[in-house]
Amino acid sequence: MVIHPKIRGFICTNAHPVGCAENVRQQIQYIKKQTPISDGPKRVLIIGCSTGYGLASRITSAYASGAKTLGVCFEKEPTERKTGTAGWYNTAAFHEFAKADGLYYHTINGDAFSDEIKAQTIAQIKEDLGQVDLVVYSLASPKRKDPESGEVYSSTLKPIGESYTTKTYDTDKDKVHDISLEPATEDEIAQTIKVMGGQDWERWIAQLHEAGVLAPDCQTTAYTYIGKKLTWPIYGHATIGRAKEDLDRAAASLRSTYKDINLSAWVSSLKALVTQASSAIPVMPLYISLIYGVMKEEGTHEGCIEQIYRLFTEGLYTETPTLDDNSRLRMDGLETNEATQAKIEALWDQITQENFHELADYEGYHAEFLRLFGFAIQGVDYDADVDPQVNW
Ligand code: NAD
């Protein structure tokens, strides 16, 4: 099959197995060039391990610290007519590389919100690892089925309190235009907290602890985005931000509940990057195109793998982590500092349909978007016939 990208709106509906493998290889290569983390994690559970920040966490654990990695993800395998998802191919590639390098790997594909997948994961830890010393919680999902009530909650991306009008960039139509977003109802806020808040993270930790598979001094982290003034109305101070605040509540509760094993629970704040999750958020493609331009010029641009390697070395595995007033690990300073934000705000005010491509790094944004699905990667022959049937 010859595979070219099929883009519908903000999503690409297919993926390229060779390109995805190359993407994983490049991230592994990056980590291999860094200083190893000698006192890093050795047995790691990554919930949301197949793309974005979770995949980078898996690669960093395995290749900077020699860790055995057990991953959980929700990906589609290829069929006769359709390619697998990017996360499917990424995971297959990670397995291949890890196998060649003599590293333990195992991945469970299923709904991480369910108790069945939690039980399956616990059984696998008991069988292969005994215990884990790091649990990374990196899920991004529009829906969550509550295992107790059976109710399906949906997350919403809306402002809170009042409607908000701002600029956005429609990647599909190549158009800068205004959008008005109506404020969320109380029910929409509550549902978003159910999906993206701390409840499921707490449920994972409770069940892992109950089963005795969390090692003494275990660490756990969930990822958040805090951002600044330009994104607050649609992210930080909006429905998704409310859900992320619930992660802070959960982290504090986890720290006080599991003192018996001296559990460290952190919310880690990461920078805005193109991932499958962020490209679905209004305003983000425009904002990210601008910060990519500014940060590349400043020489401070980082991708998922660079951010996560720094999180491990400057946050999770150092005696002197930088914490903010809410005890969060902050890795987003290169984006959120006043000077960089001032440059982005100045550009934001000037952006029009006419000057968008000149002022923003949309080419960089778009190339990275395509890379998420294994496309636009140098050295990959996209006219070649490839077999989409890749198994783990
Ligand atoms: P992503 O879409 O690249 O990855 C999501 C992962 O979750 C995938 O591995 C997917 O398979 C898995 N997943 C989704 N639903 C699942 C389910 N029901 N069961 C099992 N696995 C499931 O997302 P990302 O951007 O890497 O986001 C990960 C975390 O990082 C999120 O909490 C997000 O809010 C946070 N974050 C993202 C950014 C950003 O700009 N992308 C910035 C800061 C923080």
Side-chain angles (χ1 to χ4, degrees), residues 53 223-224 226 267-272 295 300 302 306-318 320-324 328-336:
Y53 279 123
Y223 296 148
T224 192
I226 295 173
V267 171
S268 301
S269 181
L270 305 172
K271 71 170 286 209
M295 292 179 77
T300 56
E302 291 178 318
E306 291 89 351
Q307 274 274 287
I308 296 295
Y309 178 76
R310 275 209 305 116
L311 172 66
F312 276 51
T313 52
E314 296 173 20
L316 294 170
Y317 295 97
T318 172
T320 51
T322 321
L323 294 173
D324 69 9
R328 300 186 199 105
L329 293 169
R330 297 300 293 258
M331 292 299 130
D332 53 358
L334 296 173
E335 169 193 342
T336 56

Side-chain angles (χ1 to χ4, degrees), residues 47-55 72-75 87 108-114 117 137-144 196 222-226 235 240 244 247 268-279 284 288 304 307 372:
I47 304 159
C49 66
S50 54
T51 54
Y53 279 123
L55 174 63
V72 180
C73 61
F74 209 11
E75 300 296 343
I108 293 170
N109 192 32
D111 182 7
F113 296 128
S114 71
I117 290 296
Y137 189 84
S138 186
L139 293 184
S141 171
K143 284 192 188 323
R144 170 177 169 233
M196 290 298 286
Y223 296 148
T224 192
Y225 178 69
I226 295 173
Y235 199 105
I240 182 81
K244 294 295 190 184
L247 288 179
S268 301
S269 181
L270 305 172
K271 71 170 286 209
L273 277 179
V274 186
T275 64
Q276 294 188 43
S278 67
S279 41
M284 276 305 190
I288 294 176
C304 285
Q307 274 274 287
L372 296 176

Side-chain angles (χ1 to χ4, degrees), residues 66-144:
K68 297 178 175 184
T69 60
L70 172 58
V72 180
C73 61
F74 209 11
E75 300 296 343
K76 288 205 179 88
E77 60 185 299
T79 64
E80 288 288 302
R81 292 174 45 243
K82 281 199 81 176
T83 70
T85 51
W88 177 273
Y89 292 136
N90 290 341
T91 304
F94 177 82
H95 285 189
E96 283 300 310
F97 290 119
K99 190 172 168 188
D101 292 322
L103 290 161
Y104 169 92
Y105 57 88
H106 188 91
T107 305
I108 293 170
N109 192 32
D111 182 7
F113 296 128
S114 71
D115 283 348
E116 291 74 24
I117 290 296
K118 290 182 177 74
Q120 211 176 307
T121 306
I122 287 166
Q124 200 70 45
I125 296 174
K126 283 186 172 166
E127 200 172 312
D128 294 348
L129 308 174
Q131 291 185 317
V132 289
D133 46 52
L134 173 65
V135 179
V136 174
Y137 189 84
S138 186
L139 293 184
S141 171
K143 284 192 188 323
R144 170 177 169 233

Side-chain angles (χ1 to χ4, degrees), residues 111-225:
D111 182 7
F113 296 128
S114 71
D115 283 348
E116 291 74 24
I117 290 296
K118 290 182 177 74
Q120 211 176 307
T121 306
I122 287 166
Q124 200 70 45
I125 296 174
K126 283 186 172 166
E127 200 172 312
D128 294 348
L129 308 174
Q131 291 185 317
V132 289
D133 46 52
L134 173 65
V135 179
V136 174
Y137 189 84
S138 186
L139 293 184
S141 171
K143 284 192 188 323
R144 170 177 169 233
K145 184 173 175 185
D146 188 310
E148 276 174 28
S149 64
E151 203 171 321
V152 178
Y153 299 109
S154 298
S155 68
T156 314
L157 295 160
K158 286 188 177 175
I160 290 178
E162 50 193 43
S163 63
Y164 179 65
T165 301
T166 186
K167 283 179 199 179
T168 193
Y169 175 70
D170 187 330
T171 51
D172 211 19
K173 302 196 178 87
D174 185 17
K175 245 190 152 36
V176 175
H177 62 91
D178 280 352
I179 45 159
S180 290
L181 299 157
E182 288 307 307
T185 63
E186 284 305 316
D187 181 54
E188 285 172 325
I189 298 170
Q191 291 212 30
T192 307
I193 294 171
K194 285 277 186 191
V195 181
M196 290 298 286
Q199 207 178 58
D200 183 59
W201 183 26
E202 288 177 291
R203 201 173 175 87
W204 266 102
I205 298 298
Q207 295 189 15
L208 292 164
H209 179 263
E210 168 78 22
V213 297
L214 296 180
D217 301 322
C218 181
Q219 300 210 66
T220 184
T221 183
Y223 296 148
T224 192
Y225 178 69

